[in-house]
Amino acid sequence: MTSVLHVCSEIYPLLKTGGLADVAGALPPAQIRLGCDARILLPGFPAILAGIAERRLVTQLPARFGAAGISLHAGVLPDSGVPAYVIEAPGLYDRAGNPYADAANQPYPDNYRRFGLLSWMAAQLAQGLDPSWQPDVVHGHDWHAGLAPAYLRAAAAHSGRALAGSVFTVHNLAYQGMFPADTFGGLGLPGAFFDVYGVEFHNQLSFLKAGLFYAGKVTTVSPTYAREIQDPEQGYGLDGLLRSRNEAGDLAGILNGVDPGVWNPATDPAIATPYTSRSVSRKLECKVALQKETGLRVQNDAPLFCVVSRLTDQKGLNLVLAGLPELLRRGGQLVLLGSGDAALEAAFQAAALANPEAVAVQIGYDEEKSHRIIAGGDVVLVPSRFEPCGLTQLYGLRYGTLPLVRRVGGLADTVVDCSLENIGDELATGFVFDAFSEDAFMAALRRAFALYGRKRDWTQVQKRGMKQEFSWDIAAQKYLALYEQVTP
Ligand code: ADP
Ligand code: GLC
C-alpha cells in the first residue's frame, strides 16, 4: 500500500481561498477509499488549528526559518477523518485573515520562510521524523509546496539513497512564489541549487520552478491546461522547462473531480429544495428563493445568470460587464458573489445599484450562499482568460445550471457547446465560446437565451449535464498510477 503525504496550504472546510482547498479536501479521502495510505501536511494557520482541535505532539524542533521554535503535531481532519500533520511555528502562521497576504492584500514578505518551512517539514517526514509513519511519495500542491521536491533531492544526495518519490501538481501557473535572490541563503538548500537548472528564474528564487524542476512527476489539473502551459502564451517563461518534462514523459493532466458529499443537489443542506435530474423542475423553487434572498424581481421566466468567483483578471469578468446591458435588455438577471479586484468590485456594485431588480451583487466570501446561487441560477458564467481546471462549471453541471464558458483549460475539457449538431447528437451540456472577445461572449449569451426559449431542449441539456461523471475516484486512481512510477 503506497503511503503519500499531500503538502498543501489550504483545505476545505477549514481554510479556503479557491479551488485548491476543494481539491485538498477531496483527493486524499478518495485515495484512502482506494486503499492508499494518504495524509496531509498543513501550516498551522489559526483556522487550521481551530479545525483540528485535538492534536498530539509528534516532535519539537529548534528555531529555524525565523520562527522562535517549531513543533509538529498530528490530528485528523473533521468530516473526512484524513490524518493531518500541522506545523506550529510562533510568528510564522499565527496571523489573522488571508493565509498569504496582509490586510492591505500585500503578500507577506517572509512568505519564503513560511512556505519554505512547509516544504522542509515534508522532506523531514520523508526522512523519518515521525517514527510511526513515513511517506513513500510526497505530493506537493502549487508554489507553497514547490521546494519540497528540492529538499527531498538535497536530502537524497546527502544520504546517498532515495528517500521518497515526489509529485508536484500545478493548480495555477500564474502564482509562482518569486523572491529576491538573497532569500535563498536562509532556506538551507545546497548553493548549487540556485541555478538555471534548479530554483533560479531570472535571477530570482522561484518556488514554482523548484517544484517543476525537481519533482519526479509534474501534473496539472486538466489535460488541455497541461498542453497550454507548454506554449509561451500561457507558460510564463516556464514553457521550455514544461516542454522538456513533457518530452521525458513526466508531465500529465489529471482532471479534478466533484466531491458529492459537498456538491449534490439531492442532499445539499444549504439550498431551498433538494432535487435530482428526475425532479429538476423543483430547481425552480431554488431560483425563486434566490430571487427573494437577493432582492431580485421574482420572475420564473427571467433567465438567471450567476457568477461565483474570485474577481481577478484570470476570470475574464470584464466580458460579463460588457455583456450586461444586452443581458438585461433581453430580460435576464444576474447574481454575482465574489471578491478581489477593487475596480471589478466597484463596477459590479454600480451595476447592481443601477438595476436593483435585475442585478444582485454580494462582495465577499460566503460558502453557503455559493451553494444557493449555483442551485438557483439557470446559467453559471465562467468566461476565463485561462483556467487550469475550474470547479464552478462542474458544480453548475451537477446542479442543472448550464455553464457558459470560454474554450480554455479545464473548461474546454468539461463543457460541450449547445450547437445544433451537438444538441442533435445529444452531446451538448452548456455554452462555449472561443475568442476572448465581447462578440464571442455575446454570441454565446445569445445561444443561452435562444435555448432558454426552447424548454424541452433546455431540460434535456440540464439532465445530461447532471449525469456527467466528474469523479474523484477516477482522478485518485490516476494519481496512484503515477505514485507507482516515482516510488523508489
Ligand atoms: P479558482 O480556484 O481559480 O478560484 P475554481 O473554480 O477552481 O477557481 O474554484 C473556486 C472555488 O471557490 C469554488 O469552490 C467556488 O465555489 C469558490 N468560491 C469562489 N469565490 C467564492 C465566494 N466569493 N464565496 C464562496 N465561494 C467562492
Ligand atoms: C486553481 C485554478 C482552478 C482550479 C483549482 C483547483 O485555483 O485557478 O482552475 O480548478 O486551482 O485545481
Side-chain angles (χ1 to χ4, degrees):
M1 181 166 58
T2 310
S3 56
V4 58
L5 180 69
H6 288 276
V7 187
C8 203
S9 57
E10 51 183 89
I11 186 158
Y12 176 87
L14 304 184
L15 178 65
K16 168 166 161 180
T17 70
L20 172 61
D22 291 5
V23 175
L27 175 59
Q31 292 179 322
I32 289 171
R33 284 196 297 276
L34 293 176
C36 169
D37 181 7
R39 298 192 178 192
I40 189 160
L41 172 66
L42 297 157
F45 297 123
I48 303 277
L49 295 178
I52 309 176
E54 276 182 41
R55 305 183 293 273
R56 77 173 167 85
L57 178 69
V58 176
T59 186
Q60 270 174 319
L61 297 157
R64 223 188 150 106
F65 292 94
I70 299 168
S71 52
L72 182 71
H73 301 254
V76 296
L77 290 170
D79 303 340
S80 68
V82 170
Y85 291 101
V86 183
I87 307 168
E88 287 189 53
L92 286 195
Y93 304 131
D94 41 355
R95 301 173 194 175
N98 183 293
Y100 316 118
D102 63 19
N105 209 21
Q106 291 305 306
Y108 288 116
D110 62 347
N111 274 349
Y112 69 99
R113 289 174 160 170
R114 302 171 80 224
F115 297 106
L117 172 58
L118 177 66
S119 291
W120 179 83
M121 192 64 86
Q124 297 304 304
L125 279 162
Q127 291 168 79
L129 188 66
D130 180 354
S132 66
W133 190 83
Q134 210 167 320
D136 301 319
V137 176
V138 171
H139 186 162
H141 298 268
D142 269 355
W143 73 263
H144 321 104
L147 290 190
Y151 282 117
L152 279 174
R153 182 73 66 90
H158 188 72
S159 68
R161 64 189 177 94
L163 299 162
S166 62
V167 171
F168 181 67
T169 296
V170 181
H171 295 263
N172 197 330
L173 204 70
Y175 300 100
Q176 305 187 346
M178 299 266 282
F179 301 96
D182 62 9
T183 57
F184 177 76
L187 292 171
L189 283 165
F193 280 29
F194 195 80
D195 188 84
V196 61
Y197 295 101
V199 305
E200 188 256 335
F201 188 56
H202 296 292
N203 205 30
Q204 287 194 289
L205 163 63
S206 166
F207 274 49
L208 181 71
K209 187 179 169 197
L212 300 180
F213 185 83
Y214 286 109
K217 296 279 179 196
V218 174
T219 74
T220 187
V221 284
S222 70
T224 294
Y225 193 61
R227 285 193 300 276
E228 288 169 344
I229 55 178
Q230 296 177 54
D231 284 337
E233 194 191 327
Q234 285 206 47
Y236 295 90
L238 293 161
D239 42 294
L241 172 56
L242 286 160
R243 278 196 301 278
S244 72
R245 300 269 4 213
N246 185 56
E247 277 153 24
D250 292 334
L251 174 65
I254 299 178
L255 195 70
N256 287 332
V258 173
D259 186 344
V262 183
W263 291 96
N264 181 355
T267 56
D268 192 330
I271 68 177
T273 307
Y275 59 93
T276 63
S277 60
R278 277 195 298 278
S279 59
V280 68
S281 59
R282 305 198 64 187
K283 182 173 159 57
L284 184 60
E285 295 169 40
C286 296
K287 175 171 174 177
V288 170
L290 180 64
Q291 287 171 325
K292 285 187 181 153
E293 177 182 351
T294 54
L296 292 180
R297 193 173 52 248
V298 176
Q299 189 183 339
N300 292 356
D301 63 354
L304 179 49
F305 294 82
C306 64
V307 174
V308 177
S309 184
R310 293 184 292 117
L311 303 184
T312 63
D313 197 46
Q314 169 186 348
K315 301 295 179 179
L317 295 167
N318 53 325
L319 292 184
V320 176
L321 282 172
L324 192 55
E326 179 67 11
L327 185 156
L328 297 176
R329 200 187 60 73
R330 288 172 177 259
Q333 298 181 330
L334 175 71
V335 173
L336 176 140
L337 168 64
S339 66
D341 181 87
L344 282 172
E345 287 184 358
F348 279 109
Q349 277 176 315
L353 261 181
N355 308 279
E357 294 210 315
V359 181
V361 169
Q362 181 173 324
I363 300 302
Y365 189 89
D366 187 334
E367 192 68 38
E368 294 207 340
K369 182 120 181 220
S370 74
H371 285 243
R372 291 198 292 277
I373 292 177
I374 296 286
D378 292 306
V379 177
V380 56
L381 301 173
V382 197
S384 306
R385 287 178 196 277
F386 67 93
E387 197 61 73
C389 176
L391 295 172
T392 52
Q393 86 281 12
L394 301 183
Y395 302 153
L397 286 169
R398 242 194 119 82
Y399 280 64
T401 307
L402 274 47
L404 188 159
V405 306
R406 182 156 172 255
R407 198 188 313 278
V408 71
L411 302 171
D413 293 336
T414 54
V415 184
V416 179
D417 184 56
C418 280
S419 62
L420 280 179
E421 62 273 29
N422 284 339
I423 291 179
D425 292 347
E426 299 184 1
L427 296 170
T429 58
F431 310 97
V432 186
F433 65 99
D434 285 283
F436 189 84
S437 72
E438 289 174 23
D439 284 353
F441 174 72
M442 287 304 307
L445 207 58
R446 282 174 14 232
R447 278 204 297 291
F449 276 97
L451 194 76
Y452 193 74
R454 294 160 50 169
K455 284 289 170 259
R456 271 195 48 213
D457 284 335
W458 185 275
T459 308
Q460 270 176 1
V461 175
Q462 277 184 311
K463 290 187 175 191
R464 189 174 307 122
M466 293 178 83
K467 288 182 192 144
Q468 303 286 308
E469 270 287 325
F470 294 105
S471 148
W472 270 115
D473 292 345
I474 295 171
Q477 234 141 20
K478 291 185 176 168
Y479 284 115
L480 290 190
L482 274 190
Y483 296 165
E484 306 227 321
Q485 294 177 38
V486 298
T487 305

